[in-house]
């Protein structure tokens, strides 16, 4: 077979930025963005992004420069996803929930040339710039004012976003991607356990992630997408670019309050949204005043901890159809999607919830997902029981960690990306995460999955938050220790449940060796700014505690025991101060 | 931004073969293929393809060798789409409707090392091998016997397909694609106007076409796909590979008879099928004995000539939902898809048919589709009226024509692939094909789209086939000449309509300059083996005819004229002999 060379007609470097140009041609008059009273069409969005790219170049931004942004889900945040790479630069969206010192760390590490700041985050940005180490160059700052109702807030007399748009030249051709392996985005991990790492995405990886996620989630044409997931999370799980591919409408909201979510769904006919399971609680706990009728089914893609069955049932009864996914910054968002088989609809509700809580099958763009013993790199049996580390490989795995060869090399082993998560593969090929590898509790030689214990805890009617970590045990080495927050009554008071009632509930629902030997009640569990439970803090606490059995006299008769005063003494104070 | 190198974890050459390995892991127990009483799961299909690849290598097949196949839509044909590239070889599916001389031409040109032949096509293959030029090496032949009910037919004591499967080693690793630009398939154009050209697809192009088509046609999970489109047409518009990506069920049928189609839909719950519009007639004209109830909507993707509104309405009333596409071998199948907007459902039926008959918007994998004046390469205005040539560029355009540098260079101009088709772009970005560029009739300096005239002819209640070509005209240079076949009565007799009635119908429905000046009635229009009307034959005939007005005395009073005996004399004899 002869060589037939690539040419302009048959080879285009893959880049999700392409979707915008196409949208401007084939969805030109359709609505691209809705935010308060602002509406744009795809043609307008394209023009605005061309202007933005042109202005960025006028400001000296060039290939591979990092452009950072601190903003909620507003139109400018969406436009930056195209405008920045259209200037050849790399987009770095920063988690707005970080504190000033963290923001400064990221700005210094990324060597950002420019920082876009939404007007509400000007105080945070000011503080962050003060925290910048003297060795770091300070980025130029551009404020993004409220588009509907400008406040006039500026930083040090600097530029405002709309000035860049109006001053740009829409006829200046956008930067053309030469090599699809070039960087498009830099996203820092949230760093639950270590310093944040800068994950670099290529144009190719982002493009293929978009295609594969749209396909697996079944995003048809004309989606109306609600931005309930921050765009700073893996570029909105790549749906920023994805909406341009489908000619969808981006419904932007500044906060994920119940009122904003209900209103957006009702006013604009939202068809799709992504969110963490915690948003289900926001929706379900909405006051009557905040609610609007939901007339058509809303597809919801959710990640993170699998929502408990009861929560899943409630949210689906409210008009939402949930698809569960699993991912991480390093995999350009979702790496596994729990594709649903029609025949599962006939199973009992509890079994359906268990099926839905599984993380699912590999994203199409991945070559393979497996569960391995990472010492031998042997695959575990597909029996739904054998634990191993979840490993991935394929086109939507990051290029690597920015300026961090050590962690990059540690993450890639033998042609696989090691997720650090522990899971099993069921005989039907569906993967289920059992734990973060560091969260596995090894008790008497047995591996205990803390997620499994947490799942049982969540089934207790009074438990609203639960986390299980290892605590030291003189005989077994480690033993599970549970931290729980209880439901509140109508007056906002937390319910009271006795420790042994929780332990008994566990004994009735899991293998004996897995039962927590200690339950600690808290007002609220300590979390990161992105809502992840800070297990290392809990682990610190657990280290100082004693198993319940060691402070009671009749370990075999939980049912009859009175409330332990010793437990009360050990109760952790109000965790809001943590 | 530092360089971060590609590695096994984050870079995989794109290939649609990957979908099969993934399917074997994540859809392992789901049904992959149904054919008569044969059922396979995805795990079995993967194992069989590994065996096939292993046996092909034992037979000496190696990278870039061409493996040809002459077969209908049977399981082996499906398996060859994976097994051949899994041996590193290039698949060449041959149109089974070609005659022996044509098949011989393709075998010689492709330098096929191996030829797979379905038992029904053994006589054709035997003849073709006799036609091979003495300079060409004769390929080894492997018969594919009926899997359900073996006939024992073999060629010259050669191997049978199932022997390759059972003799292969499923543990032998499949060939790993090193460069995604390598060839995966060689498909010859049907050659309506010239010698067949060998279109080469890359692994990359095929992969991206699969993703983009599945997405745009909205193929969700668990599709049940009926093979009503020959797999030898652009590898079944890439849905061969596509079904592995979605874990779908391939329902294989040997012929596209009404009985087979209805039974498959009814027995297996078909959700998707592709076909030429002519299949709509097969479905609608089915005898009551061949019909089965259609309980759920079947999605149909159709290409080629836009189906007339009346036909579209009838087929949709029968339970099929039609999406119109446009493509060509060179674009790995569909290049444009007519995505439907929900708001169009509110338009009058006739307007809906007109919207649906448009070819639509670019396939997602294409960077761009445009309509240009190919002399200046300027884009035409997007006004729905300005004609130009349809040009494409992007990742699903072929690598080029095999051993045909001249035609490859002619097809690629200034970074675009020239389709040779003439169209317009509507203000909403939707493209509508008006004609093959060589089919445009230039009359008195005005371009006349023959498709436009044909569309009006089809609206006449008695017309079932229509084609319009240029005929010489002493005053206007060229003028349209219509060839039509009329409907038949219950006894199978063609209806009789007078020439002036047809001309009058045209005068009432189009601009005067476009009205055909001659109408020729035929039993049936001459067509290629793939059902394309042979316009060049009609053009030959038209060259010998005279305009109607020149053989009548009262050209201005069509309505009152009697039937012209001269016309009768000029009526072309039974075209079945053509």
């Amino acid at each position: 077979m002869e060589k037939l060379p690539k040419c302009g007609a048959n080879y285009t470097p893959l880049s999700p930025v392409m979707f915008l140009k196409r949208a401007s041609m084939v969805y030109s008059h359709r609505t691209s963005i809705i935010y308060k009273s602002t509406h744009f069409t795809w043609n307008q969005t394209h023009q605005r992004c061309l202007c933005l790219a042109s202005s960025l170049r006028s400001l000296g931004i060039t290939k591979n420069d990092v452009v950072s942004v601190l903003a909620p889900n507003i139109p400018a945040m969406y436009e930056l996803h195209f405008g920045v790479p259209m200037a050849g630069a790399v987009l770095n969206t920063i988690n707005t929930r970080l504190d000033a010192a963290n923001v400064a760390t990221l700005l210094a590490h990324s060597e950002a040339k420019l920082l876009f700041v939404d007007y509400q985050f000007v105080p945070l940005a000011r503080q962050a710039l003060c925290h910048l180490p003297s060795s770091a160059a300070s980025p130029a700052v551009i404020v993004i004012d409220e588009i509907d109702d400008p406040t006039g807030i500026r930083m040090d007399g600097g530029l405002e976003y709309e000035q860049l748009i109006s001053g740009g030249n829409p006829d200046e051709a956008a930067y053309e991607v030469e090599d699809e392996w070039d960087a498009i985005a830099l996203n820092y991990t949230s760093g639950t356990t270590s310093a944040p790492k800068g994950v670099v995405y290529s144009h190719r990886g982002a493009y293929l992630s978009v295609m594969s996620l749209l396909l697996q989630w079944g995003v048809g044409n004309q989606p109306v997408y609600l931005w309930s997931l921050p765009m700073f999370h893996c570029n909105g799980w790549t749906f920023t670019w994805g909406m341009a591919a489908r000619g969808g409408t981006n419904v932007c909201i500044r906060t994920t309050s119940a009122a904003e979510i209900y209103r957006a769904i009702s006013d604009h006919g939202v068809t799709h949204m992504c969110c963490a399971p915690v948003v289900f609680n926001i929706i379900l706990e909405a006051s009557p005043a905040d609610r609007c009728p939901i007339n058509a089914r809303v597809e919801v893609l959710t990640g993170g901890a699998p929502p408990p069955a009861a929560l899943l049932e409630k949210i689906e009864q409210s008009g939402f159809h949930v698809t569960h996914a699993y991912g991480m910054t390093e995999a350009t968002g979702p790496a596994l999607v729990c594709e649903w088989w029609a025949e599962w609809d006939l199973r009992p509700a509890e079994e359906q919830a268990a099926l839905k809580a599984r993380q699912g099958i590999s994203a199409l763009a991945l070559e393979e997902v497996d569960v391995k013993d990472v010492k031998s790199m042997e695959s575990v049996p597909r029996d739904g029981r054998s634990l191993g580390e979840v490993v991935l490989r394929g086109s939507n795995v990051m290029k690597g960690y920015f300026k961090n060869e050590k962690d990059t090399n540690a993450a890639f082993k033998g042609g696989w990306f090691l997720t650090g998560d522990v899971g099993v593969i069921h005989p039907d090929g569906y993967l289920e995460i059992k734990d973060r590898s560091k969260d596995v509790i090894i008790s008497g030689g047995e591996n205990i999955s803390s997620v499994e214990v947490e799942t049982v805890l969540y089934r207790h009617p009074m438990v609203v938050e639960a986390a299980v970590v290892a605590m030291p045990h003189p005989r077994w080495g480690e033993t599970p220790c549970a931290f729980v927050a209880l439901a509140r009554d109508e007056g906002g008071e937390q319910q009271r449940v006795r420790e042994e009632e929780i332990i008994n509930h566990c004994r009735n629902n899991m293998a004996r060796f897995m039962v927590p030997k200690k339950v600690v009640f808290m007002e609220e569990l300590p979390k990161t700014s992105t809502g992840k439970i800070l297990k290392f803090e809990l682990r610190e606490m657990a280290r100082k505690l004693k198993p319940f059995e060691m402070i009671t006299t009749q370990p075999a008769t939980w049912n009859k025991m009175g409330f332990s005063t010793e437990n009360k003494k050990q109760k952790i104070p109000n965790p809001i101060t943590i």
Side-chain angles (χ1 to χ4, degrees), chain A residues 148-168:
Chain A
D148 266 37
D149 183 16
T151 60
I153 294 173
R154 300 290 178 271
M155 267 178 80
D156 313 321
L159 287 166
E160 196 276 325
Y161 182 80
E162 287 300 324
Q163 286 177 277
L164 261 61
I165 302 292
S166 59

Side-chain angles (χ1 to χ4, degrees), chain A residues 10 32 56 82-83 213 253 315 349 360 438 454 522 533 561 573:
Chain A
N10 62 19
S32 54
L56 287 173
F82 295 93
L213 276 176
I253 51 178
I315 195 77
K438 61 189 79 60
E454 286 157 12
M522 301 180 90
I533 292 171
M561 285 193 317

Side-chain angles (χ1 to χ4, degrees), chain A residues 107-425:
Chain A
L107 289 175
H109 186 267
S110 67
E111 302 170 39
K113 293 282 192 304
L114 214 56
L115 170 64
F116 285 89
V117 184
D118 175 74
Y119 77 100
Q120 286 195 321
F121 293 99
V122 161
L124 176 63
R126 280 219 177 90
Q127 270 186 285
L129 294 179
C130 294
H131 276 82
L132 269 188
S134 55
S135 60
S138 200
V141 180
I142 292 158
V143 170
I144 308 167
D145 207 344
E146 181 69 307
I147 189 166
D148 266 37
D149 183 16
T151 60
I153 294 173
R154 300 290 178 271
M155 267 178 80
D156 313 321
L159 287 166
E160 196 276 325
Y161 182 80
E162 287 300 324
Q163 286 177 277
L164 261 61
I165 302 292
S166 59
N169 175 8
D171 297 327
E172 200 180 307
Y175 168 83
E176 290 210 358
V177 180
E178 287 154 18
D179 182 348
E180 62 194 28
W181 190 249
D182 283 347
I184 187 171
L186 170 64
N187 291 311
Y188 284 87
T189 58
S190 61
T192 24
T193 51
S194 65
K197 290 178 287 226
V199 173
V200 183
Y201 296 168
S202 68
H203 284 264
R204 174 186 169 100
Y207 178 97
L208 292 169
S209 292
V210 168
M211 295 289 274
S212 109
L213 276 176
L214 288 173
L215 192 52
Q216 277 182 293
W217 192 23
V219 181
N221 69 15
Q222 293 183 283
V224 178
Y225 184 86
L226 177 63
W227 277 104
S228 41
L229 176 81
M231 293 189 206
F232 62 68
H233 270 317
C234 310
N235 307 108
W237 297 352
T238 76
F239 290 112
T240 41
W241 300 306
M243 284 305 114
R246 300 311 281 127
T249 298
N250 293 280
V251 179
C252 290
I253 51 178
R254 190 168 268 275
T255 66
T256 47
S257 67
E260 282 219 63
I261 292 173
Y262 274 103
R263 203 165 45 237
I265 293 173
S266 171
D267 287 358
H268 308 302
V270 166
T271 59
H272 291 75
M273 59 186 274
C274 297
C275 64
V278 65
V279 174
F280 297 166
N281 290 320
I282 295 175
I283 292 170
L284 291 171
E285 289 162 6
S287 72
D290 287 343
R291 287 174 189 263
C292 302
I294 294 173
N295 299 315
R297 191 164 96 153
V298 179
E299 293 291 337
V300 184
L301 188 66
T302 189
L311 183 59
L312 209 52
E313 214 176 316
K314 273 189 222 154
I315 195 77
E316 298 225 321
Q317 280 164 359
S318 305
F320 298 84
H321 178 251
V322 178
T323 300
H324 190 220
Y326 156 87
M328 63 211 65
T329 311
E330 289 88 340
T332 327
L336 294 166
V337 179
C338 188
E339 286 188 11
W340 191 252
W341 302 129
E343 59 260 37
W344 292 346
D345 285 338
L346 305 173
R347 306 278 181 93
E350 194 154 335
E351 199 179 330
Q352 284 194 36
L355 288 167
K356 194 162 269 194
R358 303 190 304 172
Q359 279 68 18
I361 60 176
S362 62
L364 255 174
L366 284 174
E367 188 189 1
E368 208 175 339
V369 173
D370 203 358
V371 174
K372 285 183 181 290
D373 174 334
V374 286
K375 275 184 196 139
S376 65
M377 289 308 270
E378 294 267 336
S379 300
V380 303
R382 303 184 155 233
D383 56 11
R385 283 173 317 183
S386 302
L387 290 172
E389 184 163 340
V390 179
V391 297
L392 326 170
R393 70 164 151 208
S395 301
N396 52 359
V397 173
M398 65 168 180
K399 293 180 70 170
Y401 296 119
F402 185 49
K403 299 195 297 186
N404 186 344
E405 207 179 331
K406 187 175 141 277
D407 283 332
T408 301
N409 290 342
F412 294 147
K413 182 178 173 184
W416 293 89
F417 169 71
L418 312 186
T419 63
D421 287 335
V422 170
V424 298
I425 301 195

Side-chain angles (χ1 to χ4, degrees), chain A residues 417-476:
Chain A
F417 169 71
L418 312 186
T419 63
D421 287 335
V422 170
V424 298
I425 301 195
H426 290 274
D428 64 359
Y430 276 60
L431 201 145
E432 189 173 353
I433 301 293
K434 291 294 183 179
D435 228 323
R436 288 291 302 172
S437 55
K438 61 189 79 60
D439 293 344
V440 170
I441 300 153
I442 305 169
S443 187
E446 291 285 351
N447 285 343
I448 300 172
S449 155
S450 61
V451 173
E452 219 160 293
V453 182
E454 286 157 12
T455 304
V456 172
L457 287 168
Y458 272 118
R459 272 197 238 140
H460 188 284
M462 286 299 142
V463 170
V464 291
E465 288 186 338
V468 171
V469 298
M471 75 189 281
H473 192 281
R475 179 156 186 179
W476 307 114

Side-chain angles (χ1 to χ4, degrees), chain A residues 455-517:
Chain A
T455 304
V456 172
L457 287 168
Y458 272 118
R459 272 197 238 140
H460 188 284
M462 286 299 142
V463 170
V464 291
E465 288 186 338
V468 171
V469 298
M471 75 189 281
H473 192 281
R475 179 156 186 179
W476 307 114
E478 288 181 347
T479 188
C481 172
F483 292 81
V484 299
L486 298 174
R488 289 166 193 280
D489 62 19
E490 286 177 357
E493 277 297 304
Q494 263 188 334
Q495 308 284 329
R496 295 196 150 243
V497 179
R498 290 183 307 173
E499 186 174 13
E500 67 267 39
E501 185 181 325
I502 299 291
I503 291 176
N504 201 37
H505 165 78
C506 290
R507 283 167 63 90
N508 290 334
N509 288 285
M510 64 178 69
R512 194 166 192 138
F513 76 91
M514 292 169 63
V515 175
K517 294 201 166 24

